[in-house]
Amino acid sequence: MHKKLFIPGPVEVRPDVLEKMATPMIGHRSKDASALQRRISEKLKTLFYTKEEILLSTTSGSGLMEGAVRSCTAKRAAVFSVGAFGKRWYEMAKFNNVPADLFEVEWGKPTTAEAVDEVLSTGKYDLITITHNETSTGVMNPVEEIAEVMKKYPEVVYCLDTVSSMGGTKIEVDKLGVDICITSSQKALGLPPGLAVCSFSQKAVERAKQVPYRGLYLDLLALYEFIQKKDYQYPSTPSLSHMFALDYQLDRILEEGLENRFERHRQMAEVVRAWAREHFEILPEEKYMSNTVTTIKNTRDIDVSDLNKKLGERGLQISNGYGKLKDKTFRIAHMADCTMEDIKDLLRNIDDILGF
């Protein structure tokens, strides 16, 4: 039996989007491939609220995260972590021999503008990484406030992980001063996993030129320069199947209307939060709650695995807590093409199983 997914990725993918993955192949060096990539880039610029170039990578979001920290750190990276995925960025730096320092907060807390200012004021860092939306804790960081601080440090390349939020909440890349904004296909964009995309600013381009060892496959400057010279083609073979589906899905997203899409996500989040407050507690503070996934404290000490097993028998699936929060929390995602009726049906089934 297929289980409808309410986990923070991969998400439930619409049948018509899946069908586009089966589009017959074209030559990846053809004019048709260039046209496909150019269409995708223009639509993504609209979604990202950016005028900067868009890069595609046949990887998960982690691929571009690694590429960003390796390609654009000339001096030292400041990695801010609010959970498991912020910390991963630090591991990437470390294992690529990129000098970096990790600035962690207690899980469930945000990265504040004050904390960023304090670290950057030392003058030690020329690149910063922030997780916009942390799926392990359900924290959405205050990027508007951080943007004000970043204006004081024009020499710092600003990398933002929006893997689990782009397409589910408004992220105005250029207005926020973000140089490399990264997302991937299997979250709020509503596609299968396997494709990552990012914006890449001119500041990031110039910085990468100063970094001698940027790797090869994930060298963001090489990707950027190749699509300039070769009319929106890539150094290695991209996943054309994902590109066909993304081209189609972006049309659907823009047809829904970006503000309508963001509002739908917000309303679904509100319904889940109201339910969670009634029966449990929510991990983050109100003002830092994510619009795409809610992390709920297991205050009733329910057996989360057993709940999920029983939901599975009804064709539904939620997510246990992540890492050290396993069984102490559980997570309900409300992103991509999930509807309010889907959410209400899930909560009705949980109520029935738990006897609420």
Side-chain angles (χ1 to χ4, degrees):
M1 185 205 304
H2 169 67
K3 294 177 191 172
K4 191 180 279 187
L5 299 176
F6 296 87
I7 64 175
V11 294
E12 196 70 18
V13 181
R14 287 170 54 107
D16 53 334
V17 176
L18 286 174
E19 274 174 33
K20 290 294 172 183
M21 297 280 289
T23 302
M25 288 297 103
I26 57 176
H28 70 289
R29 296 283 178 242
S30 65
K31 286 182 178 171
D32 286 344
S34 290
L36 173 64
Q37 167 57 30
R38 205 179 302 106
R39 283 199 306 275
I40 289 169
S41 288
E42 288 309 312
K43 292 171 204 171
L44 283 171
K45 284 179 186 179
T46 303
L47 179 63
F48 278 60
Y49 295 86
T50 186
K51 295 185 175 68
E52 303 289 359
E53 192 57 89
I54 298 288
L55 306 178
L56 267 72
S57 172
T58 300
T59 61
S60 65
S62 298
L64 286 179
M65 287 166 68
E66 181 165 322
V69 77
R70 179 162 178 166
S71 298
C72 292
T73 307
K75 190 164 64 174
R76 196 170 191 88
V79 177
F80 287 85
S81 174
V82 295
F85 295 97
K87 196 165 184 185
R88 183 179 289 182
W89 224 329
Y90 175 69
E91 298 287 310
M92 290 166 177
K94 188 170 74 174
F95 288 112
N96 277 285
N97 206 26
V98 172
D101 292 320
L102 177 64
F103 300 94
E104 282 187 284
V105 294
E106 182 188 337
W107 283 30
K109 304 288 185 198
T111 295
T112 63
E114 293 77 18
V116 173
D117 196 14
E118 187 182 334
V119 168
L120 292 186
S121 67
T122 63
K124 286 168 62 177
Y125 305 99
D126 62 351
L127 182 137
I128 181 178
T129 74
I130 300 276
T131 309
H132 178 242
N133 193 74
E134 174 59 66
T135 50
S136 62
T137 61
V139 166
M140 191 172 271
N141 270 319
V143 286
E144 287 80 8
E145 294 166 27
I146 292 168
E148 289 306 306
V149 166
M150 292 306 295
K151 287 176 184 172
K152 292 165 60 177
Y153 305 98
E155 74 288 356
V156 177
V157 170
Y158 179 10
C159 303
L160 187 65
D161 164 5
T162 64
V163 165
S164 57
S165 50
M166 181 62 76
T169 196
K170 191 173 194 174
I171 304 160
E172 296 178 275
V173 169
D174 289 357
K175 193 172 163 188
L176 293 171
V178 176
D179 294 297
I180 307 176
C181 184
I182 300 164
T183 194
S184 56
S185 52
Q186 78 281 13
K187 310 274 187 178
L189 292 181
L191 294 166
L195 195 69
V197 299
C198 73
S199 60
F200 196 60
S201 74
Q202 279 305 303
K203 183 165 106 186
V205 170
E206 294 310 313
R207 167 62 58 73
K209 288 176 181 175
Q210 299 167 26
V211 179
Y213 300 108
R214 299 183 301 270
L216 186 69
Y217 185 67
L218 297 172
D219 176 358
L220 301 195
L221 181 61
L223 297 185
Y224 174 84
E225 289 180 337
F226 204 91
I227 63 175
Q228 310 306 314
K229 287 178 197 159
K230 302 285 187 181
D231 190 25
Y232 285 89
Q233 293 184 359
Y234 280 86
S236 51
T237 314
S239 175
L240 292 161
S241 302
H242 278 93
M243 287 164 66
F244 290 132
L246 180 57
D247 187 38
Y248 173 79
Q249 176 70 337
L250 286 169
D251 283 339
R252 288 194 59 258
I253 288 170
L254 295 172
E255 198 177 298
E256 179 179 8
L258 294 182
E259 294 294 349
N260 293 336
R261 187 177 182 83
F262 304 149
E263 180 59 18
R264 173 168 60 81
H265 279 74
R266 194 193 64 75
Q267 288 179 5
M268 291 190 296
E270 281 299 332
V271 167
V272 174
R273 289 170 197 161
W275 177 86
R277 285 188 197 102
E278 184 183 347
H279 301 294
F280 297 92
E281 286 174 29
I282 303 170
L283 183 64
E285 280 177 59
E286 181 83 31
K287 65 186 283 196
Y288 305 117
M289 289 177 187
S290 166
N291 288 336
T292 58
V293 57
T294 300
T295 299
I296 300 162
K297 285 190 195 175
N298 186 9
T299 50
R300 291 172 178 258
D301 204 23
I302 62 165
D303 185 329
V304 179
S305 297
D306 184 60
L307 168 61
N308 229 353
K309 185 174 169 225
K310 286 173 176 160
L311 282 170
E313 290 163 4
R314 303 178 182 210
L316 303 163
Q317 185 179 339
I318 61 169
S319 197
N320 203 326
Y322 190 92
K324 62 186 179 183
L325 293 180
K326 187 178 180 185
D327 295 322
K328 296 177 184 173
T329 63
F330 59 95
R331 297 171 294 160
I332 297 175
H334 27 81
M335 63 171 87
D337 294 317
C338 182
T339 66
M340 185 66 85
E341 188 43 55
D342 291 332
I343 288 295
K344 287 180 174 172
D345 179 59
L346 171 72
L347 297 178
R348 276 195 296 269
N349 276 279
I350 296 176
D351 283 351
D352 186 45
I353 292 165
L354 296 179
F356 290 158

